[in-house]
Amino acid sequence: MIHRIVGKFLRDSQAISTRVGTRIYFERVPQKAPGGERLVISKISGERFYTLENESDATNAIVEVACYADSTTAAESLFQLVRNRLSGYYGNVTYLSDGEEATTWISSTIVRDGIDVTDPDDASDQWRFGYSADFSIFYTQAVPDHA
């Protein structure tokens, strides 16, 4: 779910939405997706924290944001918009959960890594120019009530 929260947070940025419009995808790009710059957001891993009594509401996730464009320069400049929006962010983020508005607290967002996305050997990929980075995001999530 955190990758969808990140997607909404990025979509809410005027600078990013001007570049990608609605082309923010989760996990993979659909086969017949329209052309143009795009983001692909994936949750790579996550970790829940525990106390001696129960699970804590503190959670950490590694979220990858891959930026694709028509050139290396455009992909990197799109990534800089993403980095500017996410890196160091903390605060409430509002999103939709089961059709209802919900809020989660992001306490820290750290960029962990950034690399150029390489072309596939067989040149089958339409979006050959990309830049991808992992973000470590600490946030709150509901604790099970054992009902």
Side-chain angles (χ1 to χ4, degrees), residues 1-137:
M1 178 172 66
I2 187 64
H3 61 302
R4 294 187 185 283
I5 294 170
V6 169
K8 185 202 181 290
F9 185 68
L10 293 174
R11 185 176 285 122
D12 288 346
S13 163
Q14 181 66 40
I16 293 170
S17 64
T18 297
R19 296 272 301 266
V20 301
T22 60
R23 294 178 304 276
I24 296 177
Y25 302 103
F26 303 104
E27 310 303 333
R28 63 190 166 281
V29 178
Q31 284 191 339
K32 298 194 185 230
E37 295 178 325
R38 66 199 60 245
L39 301 178
V40 180
I41 303 168
S42 305
K43 180 180 176 185
I44 304 300
S45 66
E47 179 180 15
R48 296 272 187 141
F49 299 101
Y50 289 82
T51 67
L52 291 175
E53 295 177 4
N54 195 3
E55 183 177 322
S56 167
D57 67 349
T59 306
N60 175 252
I62 305 303
V63 175
E64 177 188 56
V65 180
C67 306
Y68 294 96
D70 295 331
S71 70
T72 301
T73 304
E76 288 177 4
S77 77
L78 180 57
F79 168 73
Q80 290 305 322
L81 294 175
V82 169
R83 185 185 64 79
N84 187 56
R85 179 79 166 152
L86 283 179
S87 185
Y89 178 79
Y90 65 94
N92 283 318
V93 177
T94 303
Y95 61 98
L96 286 179
S97 175
D98 296 325
E100 300 289 323
E101 199 169 89
T103 301
T104 194
W105 172 257
I106 292 178
S107 59
S108 175
T109 306
I110 303 164
V111 64
R112 291 183 41 158
D113 197 5
I115 60 168
D116 289 322
V117 177
T118 58
D119 295 347
D121 291 335
D122 63 2
S124 63
D125 195 354
Q126 285 184 315
W127 306 287
R128 299 183 312 180
F129 302 102
Y131 196 87
S132 178
D134 294 343
F135 292 86
S136 178
I137 301 173

